[in-house]
Amino acid sequence: MTAIATPDTSGPGGPYAEVIGDPIAQSKSPLIHGTWLADLGIAASYRACHVRPDELADYIARRRDDPDWRGCNVTIPHKIQVLDHVADPGGVRASIGAANTIARDATGALFATNTDAGGFFAPIADAGLAGKPVVVIGAGGAARAVLFALAQMGVGPVTVLNRNVLKASMLLAAFGLKGKALPLGSPLPPAALLVNASALGMAGQEPLDIDLAPLPADAIVYDLVYSPLVTDLIAQAEDRGLATVDGLEMLVGQAALAFELFFGAPPPEGDDEALRARLTI
Ligand code: NAP
C-alpha cells in the first residue's frame, strides 16, 4: 500500500482519515476533506492511500490498531470486499450492496456505511418527489445508491433504462420499487425527476443519446457524472429551462456525511462555491 501524500505506511502523526482504492491518484476526496479541515482549523489530515486488493486485509488490520486513524473512504475495487473486514450494523451489504466509508463507532470499533445515498438525496430533499414518477438511467453501483434513496423517499413509479435490462428489473425488485425496466434508448416517459446514474456522458465514455422533450417544464434533471461538470445532458436540460443538479453536488454531499463521521463536525457552511471552483480546475 502506498500513501500518496506521505510515502510511508504509518500514519502522518495526529488524527487522520484516508481514501483507499486501486487506482487512487484521481480521487477528489483529499481536496474536498483537506479544504474543510483547513477552513475549520481542525488539526487533522486526509490523504489518498493506494491499496491493492491483496493488501486490503492487512491495511484494515493495521489501521484498526492505529488510534489516530479515524476511518477511510472506499472506492473501486474495494467497495464490496471491505465489508468482509468490518461490522455492517446498517446492513449496507444487503441493501445498497457496497460500502463507501469506514469509520469508528463510540467504542472505537470499525463499521461500514454508504454515504452515496444520502449525498444523492440532499440536493433534492425539498423537491416534493413523493408519489411522483422518476426515470433512472443505469443499473450499476451508483444506481443502487440512487434507487435505495428513491425507495426511502417514496417516489412513484420508477422507470430504469439500462443496456442490461435484466439487471435493471432485478434492481427494481430488490428495492421494492414499482415501475418498469426498459432498454436504453427507449423514449422517456414523462417524469418529475430524471437521473443519469450510468457512465454515459462521462469523459472517455460514450455519449448519452437522449431526447428530453417528454419531460414536463417542472422536471428536475440530475446527472451523477461530474467529469465533465456540464455534461451534454445538463446542457440540454438547461437549454429547455429545466432545473438541474450536477454530479459535484452528490460528490460533495457524500463527502460531507463522511467528514462528520471522521472528524465529529459538519463541514463549514457557505463555502460550496469556492470548493466547487477548486474541484473544477
Ligand atoms: P458501474 O457500476 O460500472 O455502472 C455503470 C453503468 O453504466 C451501468 O448501468 C452500465 O450498463 C452503464 N454503461 C457503462 N458503459 C456503457 C455503454 N457503453 N453503453 C451503455 N451503458 C453503459 O459504475 P457506477 O459506479 O455505477 O458509476 C456510474 C457513474 O456515476 C460514473 O460516471 C461515476 O463517475 C458516477 N458516480 C458519481 C458519483 C457522485 O458522487 N457524483 C458517485 C458514484 C458514481 P450495464 O449495466 O448494462 O453494464
Side-chain angles (χ1 to χ4, degrees), residues 27-76:
S27 174
K28 293 186 185 292
S29 295
L31 177 56
I32 298 174
H33 289 265
T35 298
W36 288 336
L37 287 171
D39 287 355
L40 290 171
I42 294 177
S45 60
Y46 185 102
R47 62 185 189 170
C49 189
H50 186 190
V51 177
R52 293 184 186 84
D54 63 347
E55 298 170 326
L56 183 63
D58 183 50
Y59 169 84
I60 295 290
R62 286 175 187 233
R63 294 300 191 257
R64 191 191 301 275
D65 292 339
D66 180 349
D68 283 337
W69 188 74
R70 299 296 178 81
C72 64
N73 286 118
V74 182
T75 188
I76 291 168

Side-chain angles (χ1 to χ4, degrees), residues 75-247:
T75 188
I76 291 168
H78 305 312
K79 287 185 159 197
I80 298 170
Q81 281 73 19
V82 79
L83 287 160
D84 293 341
H85 304 285
V86 298
D88 178 16
V92 291
R93 190 197 288 271
S95 57
I96 298 175
N100 77 337
T101 304
I102 307 299
R104 292 191 189 274
D105 68 16
T107 70
L110 302 186
F111 69 95
T113 186
N114 191 315
T115 63
D116 277 340
F120 165 76
F121 169 68
I124 52 171
D126 299 327
L129 291 163
K132 304 265 182 72
V134 173
V135 176
V136 176
I137 301 165
R144 291 189 71 98
V146 166
L147 291 170
F148 176 81
L150 293 173
Q152 304 288 309
M153 291 162 68
V155 302
V158 177
T159 305
V160 180
L161 304 177
N162 199 47
R163 177 173 62 181
N164 180 337
V165 183
L166 181 61
K167 211 165 132 188
S169 57
M170 284 167 66
L171 275 197
L172 280 173
F175 291 103
L177 287 160
K178 291 198 169 59
K180 273 191 271 197
L182 296 173
L184 199 64
S186 308
L188 275 186
L193 172 70
L194 168 68
V195 183
N196 177 32
S198 78
L200 298 175
M202 190 177 159
Q205 301 287 333
E206 288 178 31
L208 174 60
D209 185 15
I210 195 164
D211 178 8
L212 299 183
L215 295 184
D218 59 354
I220 301 168
V221 174
Y222 195 148
D223 199 343
L224 267 55
V225 173
Y226 53 81
S227 178
L229 186 57
V230 182
T231 58
D232 288 349
L233 176 65
I234 292 284
Q236 193 191 148
E238 285 174 350
D239 284 350
R240 303 188 75 89
L242 301 175
T244 59
V245 182
D246 65 44

